[in-house]
Amino acid sequence: MVRYQLPKLPYSYDDLEPHIDKQTMMIHHQRHHQSYVDGLNKVLAEISGSSHPQYITSILSDLTPIPENLQKKIKFFGGGFENHRLLWEMMNPDGGGIPGGRLADSIDVYFNSFEEFKEIFSMEALSIEGSGWSWLVFNQTFNKIEIITTKNQDSPWILNKIPLLGLDLWEHAYYLKHQNLRADYISSWWNVVNWDYVSNRFSELSG
Ligand code: MN3
């Protein structure tokens, strides 16, 4: 059986300062992400008698082979594991600015301009009630990009959509620095978006 591990951050805890603070990064990575890793390993161990060689994104894409009473846990812990793994990669101290390449063209096609895309994405992120995520995803069925939001730790993979860029809107992602000011967190976060990573993901998918 696959055992998941807490992935290493691709930078130091204080590298995203002043946009994302060191203490938030440490607690978010070492405690919150670790708890999704542990929860996922535990629920996979509970699925007795069957092995799960597929990576978690394949499991999330089709939950039907998972016993019904465990599907919710897989969704939560598996989503939490993968969403955060991506979150760290989707940020970078040298991030911010605007995307390039084919992703930039696609954003212009579906959202008119990068500025309009950014505005819609931020509005959707602000409008999430309770905890959830805001995403730019690739919709394979229609071969297009879309903005979606998900509740709790739901991953875009459960909707068969591929996450390109994701923003964590749980209070644990921003409360220490921004308290209840979610809009401030969102505008800080744009400064660290790793557009190279996001654009590369898109290029590989839309090939
Ligand atoms: Mn989180």
Side-chain angles (χ1 to χ4, degrees):
M1 196 186 80
V2 180
R3 275 192 72 81
Y4 291 88
Q5 290 185 333
L6 184 68
K8 274 181 70 117
L9 278 192
Y11 36 76
S12 304
Y13 288 115
D14 59 357
D15 278 351
L16 302 180
E17 295 262 12
H19 311 295
I20 312 282
D21 62 291
K22 179 182 178 181
Q23 199 190 6
T24 297
M25 285 300 293
M26 283 183 75
I27 295 173
H28 202 173
H29 180 247
Q30 294 175 354
R31 300 196 203 159
H32 292 281
H33 198 180
Q34 184 69 57
S35 74
Y36 302 121
V37 173
D38 296 343
L40 177 58
N41 285 326
K42 198 167 159 236
V43 64
L44 287 174
E46 275 178 57
I47 303 169
S48 55
S50 45
S51 62
H52 295 276
Q54 321 100 295
Y55 186 64
I56 187 62
T57 53
S58 314
I59 300 175
L60 290 168
S61 302
D62 179 14
L63 288 171
T64 49
I66 304 291
E68 212 166 311
N69 62 321
L70 296 176
Q71 288 183 2
K72 227 176 118 184
K73 283 189 180 176
I74 288 281
K75 243 167 87 168
F76 185 78
F77 292 114
F81 167 77
E82 179 65 8
N83 292 346
H84 287 83
R85 188 191 70 77
L86 290 171
L87 179 69
W88 314 134
E89 300 291 337
M90 289 163 173
M91 298 191 288
N92 191 275
D94 302 318
I98 57 169
R102 299 225 306 270
L103 180 60
D105 297 339
S106 201
I107 283 175
D108 286 346
V109 167
Y110 291 105
F111 303 99
N112 294 320
S113 67
F114 177 69
E115 283 313 310
E116 276 188 53
F117 157 75
K118 199 172 154 182
E119 204 175 308
I120 296 166
F121 189 99
S122 300
M123 265 171 36
E124 290 290 332
L126 259 182
S127 72
I128 292 170
E129 293 176 347
S131 297
W133 290 70
S134 189
W135 301 98
L136 175 69
V137 297
F138 183 65
N139 180 329
Q140 304 172 88
T141 314
F142 296 105
N143 195 34
K144 62 186 287 238
I145 53 171
E146 296 169 354
I147 293 172
I148 63 166
T149 61
T150 57
K151 288 297 226 180
N152 302 314
Q153 292 297 351
D154 286 4
S155 157
W157 287 100
I158 63 175
L159 306 166
N160 276 298
K161 293 178 180 180
I162 302 174
L164 297 172
L165 174 66
L167 175 58
D168 186 345
L169 280 317
W170 284 54
E171 280 187 343
H172 69 224
Y174 63 89
Y175 204 85
L176 287 177
K177 183 178 165 78
H178 298 287
Q179 293 81 48
N180 60 323
L181 304 176
R182 188 189 273 183
D184 288 358
Y185 161 63
I186 297 168
S187 57
S188 293
W189 169 79
W190 286 113
N191 294 307
V192 291
V193 172
N194 186 353
W195 284 116
D196 286 344
Y197 181 79
V198 178
S199 303
N200 285 340
R201 274 177 78 79
F202 177 71
S203 298
E204 282 166 23
L205 289 168
S206 62

